[in-house]
Amino acid sequence: MEIETNGTRIHVSLRGSGNVALVFLHYYGGSSRTWDRVADELSDHYRVVAPDHRGWGRSSAPAAGYRIADLADDAEGVIAALGLQRYVLVGHSMGGKVAQLIASRRPAGLIGLVLVAPSPPSPTLLTEEARATLAGAYQSRESVEFVIDHVLTARKIDEELRAQVIDDSLRGAPQAKAAWPNVAMSEDITKEVASINVPTVVISGELDQVDRIATLQAELLTRIPHAAMQVIPATGHLLPLEAPGEVAQIIAGFVKAVVDKLVV
């Protein structure tokens, strides 16, 4: 479905049902489809809400508005439009940084936070060469394939998922592709995340080269001290695609524990 919010048309994938919704926010280069195999495991028990960030997937691509706060406002608008009463935010990589900012605002209805290979709240500092490389990573099929094989994954993904990653990466609007490495990645939300007060789990890939375990331990876990980390062995950065079953299992266990605690 399409939802008009924050001056932008956001495409949202919906499935499942239940008293608790899972709101999935995708990575830089992905789309709502990134979560399909995770959602397959969870939609029998939960309502699944997966928006495309502005400039990605089937959402509109305004000329400006790609800072973390803009993406957070978009997601909160989707949540409000759907009238979600109890929900857990699940953010991957860039979507993880967006989810952290939303959670720091302590919105009504938020009961938990799942950060999957998240970008940390502190600025990610890149050399100009590295920034240019990242900004150009999704410009051609060849460049996307290189990134998949040498940066994003540690486990081989099947051909269907590989084609999906390539399509999603190339489909992104130029302004969306430029905004993350040049603006949003460098934003500092460390003060904001100190306000996060919901149960939080961080899911990391053992071999993640993008948001490494050591970086998250230093830059994220020290700032959200009640957060717990779970590591999935032999996986890279694209956890929702490399290990969807394991990610879904951790999410399900986490959400059950959160809900059980609320009931007591």
Side-chain angles (χ1 to χ4, degrees):
M1 70 177 298
E2 314 294 322
I3 292 176
E4 291 284 340
T5 179
N6 196 25
T8 308
R9 179 185 53 78
I10 300 296
H11 173 78
V12 185
S13 173
L14 300 172
R15 68 164 97 174
S17 61
N19 295 326
V20 175
L22 306 178
V23 180
F24 289 96
L25 304 178
H26 66 78
Y27 75 105
Y28 169 70
S31 75
S32 55
R33 296 193 297 173
T34 300
W35 297 106
D36 280 355
R37 295 197 183 182
V38 176
D40 286 345
E41 306 282 335
L42 297 167
S43 57
D44 284 347
H45 302 285
Y46 303 103
R47 187 177 184 190
V48 171
V49 178
D52 293 329
H53 294 301
R54 58 172 61 198
W56 297 100
R58 288 187 274 172
S59 288
S60 63
Y66 293 89
R67 300 180 70 89
I68 295 299
D70 298 310
L71 303 184
D73 290 346
D74 290 346
E76 286 200 84
V78 168
I79 290 164
L82 294 174
L84 303 184
Q85 299 298 309
R86 285 206 303 180
Y87 65 94
V88 172
L89 280 172
V90 185
H92 176 217
S93 193
M94 178 182 78
K97 192 167 185 176
V98 176
Q100 291 167 61
L101 183 58
I102 296 171
S104 77
R105 298 171 174 176
R106 299 185 175 183
L110 179 66
I111 62 170
L113 177 63
V114 180
L115 301 174
V116 182
S119 182
S122 52
T124 300
L125 303 176
L126 300 175
T127 64
E128 284 306 312
E129 181 181 5
R131 193 180 309 282
T133 299
L134 181 56
Y138 299 149
Q139 300 306 314
S140 69
R141 181 184 180 89
E142 292 72 25
S143 64
V144 177
E145 293 205 280
F146 180 87
V147 171
I148 292 171
D149 293 333
H150 299 283
V151 180
L152 293 178
T153 65
R155 292 187 190 180
K156 186 176 177 61
I157 58 176
D158 65 40
E159 288 305 314
E160 180 184 355
L161 286 181
R162 188 179 183 88
Q164 176 184 304
V165 172
I166 293 168
D167 181 59
D168 283 343
S169 301
L170 295 177
R171 184 186 292 190
Q175 57 271 36
K177 291 180 183 180
W180 175 245
N182 292 315
V183 179
M185 179 182 277
S186 303
E187 290 187 72
D188 187 347
I189 60 168
T190 53
K191 290 181 181 177
E192 286 84 349
V193 299
S195 298
I196 295 174
N197 64 345
V198 292
T200 303
V201 64
V202 180
I203 307 174
S204 295
E206 180 188 19
L207 304 177
D208 192 333
Q209 299 179 62
V210 179
D211 292 302
R212 299 174 186 269
I213 291 173
T215 301
L216 296 177
Q217 288 172 330
E219 298 295 333
L220 190 148
L221 294 181
T222 58
R223 304 179 196 282
I224 312 176
H226 62 276
M229 177 181 279
Q230 296 199 37
V231 176
I232 298 179
T235 52
H237 190 61
L238 290 189
L239 287 169
L241 304 176
E242 293 180 75
E246 289 145 290
V247 170
Q249 186 175 25
I250 293 172
I251 293 172
F254 171 76
V255 175
K256 183 180 185 305
V258 169
V259 172
D260 287 350
K261 205 168 195 179
L262 289 174
V263 171
V264 169

